[in-house]
Amino acid sequence: FIHLFDPHSCCCRATHSDTKPKDPFTLAQKDLTSLYDDIKKELFVSKVELKSLCEYYFDGKGKAIRPMIVVLMARALNIHSNRAGDLLPGQRAIAMISEMIHTASLVHDDVIDGSDKRRGKRTINEVWGEKKAILAGDFILSAASMALARIGNITVVKVLSQVIEDLVRGEFMQLGSKENENERFKHYLEKTFKKTASLIANSCKAVSILVNSDPEVHEIAYQYGKNVGIAFQLVDDVLDFTSGASQLGKPAAADLKLGLATGPVLFACQQFPELHAMIMRRFASKGDVDRAWQYVLQSNGVQQTNYLAQHYCKEAIRQISRLRPSPERDALIRLTEMVLTRDK
């Protein structure tokens, strides 16, 4: 992998339009204003405790990156398909459902990882306990499934059901590890696709299905989402090493403490084979986490992982550039740059 990434060739300056593309957040803003309120309406439940559990993360404080990508993609596709940019009701519903599925998976992930912090506040399992956290995640997922059924398109149901399957399989992959080094990287990228990118890829595909019958257009939407999603997670894995805990809202080196070898560690292992044994025992011995941390910072693992993220962003740009130009399309291109430069 290492020789593939050259810092000078991997520049993601997009050469699309002369005017500066609009900020993606600003452009998607009016479609997202009622997002969290709409989600709370879907979570209509009379039990007071279940209500507060389910609404806990829908407080408007999340980045809402996923629904933002879905909204921009929907508008870009609508314009590409010779119609007004405005969202169809089903497309708006998909943006909301993507955030619900994402949040349900966070609630369950925190139980699996035994996390006590998320987005700078205590996790649901920390406040209410694991049993109730599992039920809350299930309830959010069931509300998302009902909203999905109401869209009334069988293909869309199939595409978004795939996401839920991928989330489960990805979590299972994360629980296992691979002995062989080449297999290990493949395993890591596949797990990253299933746990993070599948949701974005298939949500983008779903909004394309509602407006265009051309499978090539569905594929453009899917490929953009997939590549941005993988890049997003690779950057996330880098931030675990480079960002202060205060910025991330969760402790740094969290992945190592969970026994997970992400991109920076796998690249570092090529320079420091001593990491191999630590990876295999999931950094469980005393001092493993600190030593692995040191090795990663001495290696060019972080840099290599960033190059890899750039490679995925370039591919996302190449795909989305096949759509007819629009402010939303350009915002999606701009978004790939923001994914690479974010620090939290």
Side-chain angles (χ1 to χ4, degrees):
F1 250 101
I2 283 197
H3 63 272
L4 273 179
F5 304 107
D6 164 26
H8 307 298
S9 71
C10 269
C11 181
C12 273
R13 284 285 153 257
T15 50
H16 43 287
S17 58
D18 309 324
T19 53
K20 183 152 175 46
K22 261 198 127 154
D23 168 53
F25 292 93
T26 318
L27 210 46
Q29 200 49 55
K30 72 180 207 316
D31 286 314
L32 295 177
T33 40
S34 61
L35 176 81
Y36 289 109
D37 288 335
D38 293 345
I39 290 176
K40 284 177 184 167
K41 287 187 191 119
E42 292 299 327
L43 295 168
F44 187 75
V45 54
S46 49
K47 275 258 177 283
V48 176
E49 187 179 33
L50 184 56
K51 190 177 169 65
S52 52
L53 262 155
C54 290
E55 292 186 353
Y56 187 71
Y57 285 140
F58 298 117
D59 55 4
K61 302 261 169 62
K63 296 191 284 285
I65 293 272
R66 288 156 190 82
M68 179 178 71
I69 292 174
V70 173
V71 161
L72 293 172
M73 179 61 77
R75 287 179 160 270
L77 290 162
N78 292 355
I79 290 165
H80 180 76
S81 312
N82 290 323
R83 46 195 302 164
D86 290 344
L87 292 191
L88 304 171
Q91 291 174 325
R92 187 183 302 278
I94 290 166
M96 174 181 77
I97 291 162
S98 71
E99 186 67 1
M100 292 171 79
I101 293 174
H102 170 58
T103 304
S105 77
L106 297 185
V107 175
H108 284 168
D109 279 358
D110 286 341
V111 173
I112 291 169
D113 298 340
S115 307
D116 56 357
K117 280 261 191 300
R118 155 89 56 193
R119 291 178 181 168
K121 61 194 219 178
R122 291 164 74 202
T123 54
I124 291 186
N125 44 295
E126 169 77 7
V127 179
W128 284 280
E130 294 195 340
K131 292 176 184 171
K132 284 177 178 168
I134 290 166
L135 295 172
D138 286 344
F139 186 78
I140 295 168
L141 212 45
S142 78
S145 304
M146 288 175 64
L148 178 56
R150 273 206 308 278
I151 294 173
N153 182 304
I154 314 159
T155 319
V156 167
V157 172
K158 203 170 114 186
V159 164
L160 288 178
S161 302
Q162 181 65 49
V163 170
I164 300 173
E165 181 189 319
D166 284 342
L167 285 169
V168 176
R169 287 182 183 268
E171 197 59 52
F172 259 104
M173 287 180 77
Q174 187 163 295
L175 294 173
S177 56
K178 287 276 175 270
E179 175 76 57
N180 172 314
E181 236 177 281
N182 294 333
E183 242 175 66
R184 203 186 277 149
F185 216 100
K186 202 171 134 258
H187 185 264
Y188 164 65
L189 287 176
E190 193 186 332
K191 178 215 77 179
T192 298
F193 168 74
K194 285 183 160 57
K195 276 201 66 179
T196 307
S198 171
L199 173 59
I200 304 175
N202 285 298
S203 303
C204 286
K205 182 177 180 175
V207 289
S208 78
I209 289 166
L210 291 180
V211 76
N212 198 303
S213 56
D214 181 355
E216 266 196 52
V217 173
H218 302 168
E219 188 62 14
I220 291 170
Y222 179 89
Q223 288 298 333
Y224 175 85
K226 171 183 160 175
N227 283 283
V228 161
I230 292 175
F232 183 85
Q233 188 57 47
L234 288 169
V235 170
D236 220 56
D237 293 344
V238 161
L239 290 174
D240 203 49
F241 288 95
T242 58
S243 181
S246 57
Q247 268 185 308
L248 279 179
K250 56 186 184 202
D255 291 333
L256 287 177
K257 288 172 188 148
L258 289 171
L260 303 178
T262 57
V265 183
L266 297 178
F267 277 123
C269 193
Q270 299 177 334
Q271 284 166 274
F272 299 103
E274 307 89 305
L275 277 166
H276 179 74
M278 288 189 231
I279 294 171
M280 287 317 293
R281 61 175 180 261
R282 294 187 155 257
F283 314 107
S285 300
K286 197 170 172 355
D288 275 1
V289 169
D290 289 329
R291 282 189 19 242
W293 169 269
Q294 289 304 325
Y295 279 132
V296 169
L297 295 184
Q298 284 165 42
S299 73
N300 61 4
V302 161
Q303 192 189 21
Q304 291 294 341
T305 309
N306 277 326
Y307 293 158
L308 188 54
Q310 286 181 14
H311 158 83
Y312 282 103
C313 280
K314 280 181 106 166
E315 180 56 21
I317 291 172
R318 192 181 73 80
Q319 293 286 348
I320 198 72
S321 299
R322 296 165 63 194
L323 294 186
R324 167 181 303 185
S326 65
E328 285 80 6
R329 184 201 74 160
D330 290 350
L332 286 169
I333 293 173
R334 171 89 183 89
L335 188 78
T336 64
E337 296 172 11
M338 292 164 69
V339 161
L340 293 174
T341 52
R342 73 193 178 96
D343 56 5
K344 60 183 227 193

